[in-house]
Amino acid sequence: MANHEVRSWLTDRPVTSPFARPRGLRGRLAGRFMVWTNKQGEVAGLLGVRPGDRVLEVGYGGGALVRLLARRVGDGLVCGVDPSPDMRDLAVRRNRRAVAAGRLDLRVGTAAATGFPDAAFDHVVTVNTVGLWPDLEAGLRELRRVIRPGGDVVIAWHGGRAPTRIGRRLLLPESALVRVRDALAAFFAEVERHELTTVTAFRARRATMGA
C-alpha cells in the first residue's frame, strides 16, 4: 500500500477524497474549504474547555478549531495531530502567533499514533475524521491513552439537525454510528449522543482511577 493511501474501517477500500489526507494544490484547497465551511463553535461548546485546560485535536485540517480552542484555554495548551504535512503548514501559518507564543503545538500524526504521553490532555476532539480512520478501535485506544482519568473525548461527523449540502452526501448509516457509540462504550464511560446543527457528536468520559 502506498504511504499516501487511506483506507477506512467502514469499507476497507482506498479513500480518494482530497479531504482524507490533503496533499498538493488539491489538498491546500481542501484545507481552505474546511476552514470556510466548518463552523465548529458548537463542538467547542460541547467540549466545555476552560482556562488552563490541555486539549488535543485529531485532524486539525486548516486550523480553524484549534484557533478557537487556543483562545478559550488562555494559559493552557492546545495540541493537534494531522496526517498531512501540507495541513500542518497551512494551520501553522494561520495560527503563527499562538504557535510562536507556545500556546499551540501542531504535529503530523494520526488518531492511532499521536506521539503524546499518557494522560496528557483534559479533552480530545475530532471533527469529520472518524469515518476516515483505518482502524476505529486502534484510534479510540490511543485517544483513551492520552486523556487523563476524568477527561473527555468528543467525536463528531457530518450530520446533525441541518447538515450542509456536502455533509448530506457524507452521512454515515445508523449502523455505523451505532458501531462508533459501541466502540466508545468499550473504552470510555458515560457515552452521550448529541445532534448539533451540522454534525452528529458523541461525547464520552474516561473513567477515573478505580471506577
Side-chain angles (χ1 to χ4, degrees), residues 69-93:
L69 293 172
R71 292 171 180 163
R72 296 193 178 190
V73 301
D75 61 354
L77 177 66
V78 175
C79 299
V81 292
D82 195 286
S84 168
D86 287 8
M87 289 301 95
R88 182 185 184 279
D89 293 344
L90 176 61
V92 167
R93 286 198 303 272

Side-chain angles (χ1 to χ4, degrees), residues 11-205:
T11 63
D12 196 34
R13 294 197 299 269
V15 178
T16 58
S17 166
F19 296 100
R21 185 163 296 177
R23 301 187 310 139
L25 177 59
R26 289 183 70 210
R28 291 191 294 273
L29 291 174
R32 291 186 172 90
F33 181 81
M34 286 186 276
V35 170
W36 296 331
T37 59
N38 289 348
K39 308 303 182 186
Q40 296 173 331
E42 282 184 307
V43 174
L46 183 61
L47 201 59
V49 298
R50 296 176 296 181
D53 281 350
R54 297 172 62 90
V55 187
L56 172 67
E57 182 182 8
V58 173
Y60 49 76
L65 181 54
V66 288
R67 172 181 288 186
L68 177 59
L69 293 172
R71 292 171 180 163
R72 296 193 178 190
V73 301
D75 61 354
L77 177 66
V78 175
C79 299
V81 292
D82 195 286
S84 168
D86 287 8
M87 289 301 95
R88 182 185 184 279
D89 293 344
L90 176 61
V92 167
R93 286 198 303 272
R94 291 182 57 84
N95 295 280
R96 59 175 61 91
R97 290 184 179 177
V99 171
R103 295 185 292 108
L104 187 56
D105 179 1
L106 300 178
R107 306 182 185 183
V108 174
T110 66
T114 66
F116 288 100
D118 293 355
F121 299 101
D122 302 294
H123 313 275
V124 176
V125 60
T126 186
V127 180
N128 297 337
T129 75
V130 68
L132 303 172
W133 296 359
D135 187 322
L136 176 61
E137 284 73 20
L140 294 179
R141 186 178 298 110
E142 173 72 353
L143 300 193
R144 183 185 183 280
R145 183 186 68 80
V146 299
I147 295 175
R148 65 167 176 78
D152 57 6
V153 58
V154 169
I155 294 179
W157 183 261
H158 305 279
R161 301 186 303 273
T164 64
R165 183 176 64 178
I166 290 178
R168 286 195 295 271
R169 302 196 333 242
L170 299 170
L171 297 177
L172 293 182
E174 185 63 24
S175 60
L177 294 173
V178 169
R179 183 174 170 190
V180 172
R181 182 200 64 200
D182 290 348
L184 275 165
F187 291 97
F188 298 91
E190 303 176 33
V191 180
E192 305 167 348
R193 177 170 170 172
H194 299 263
E195 299 297 332
L196 305 183
T197 303
T198 60
V199 294
T200 295
F202 294 94
R203 181 180 180 183
R205 186 174 304 276

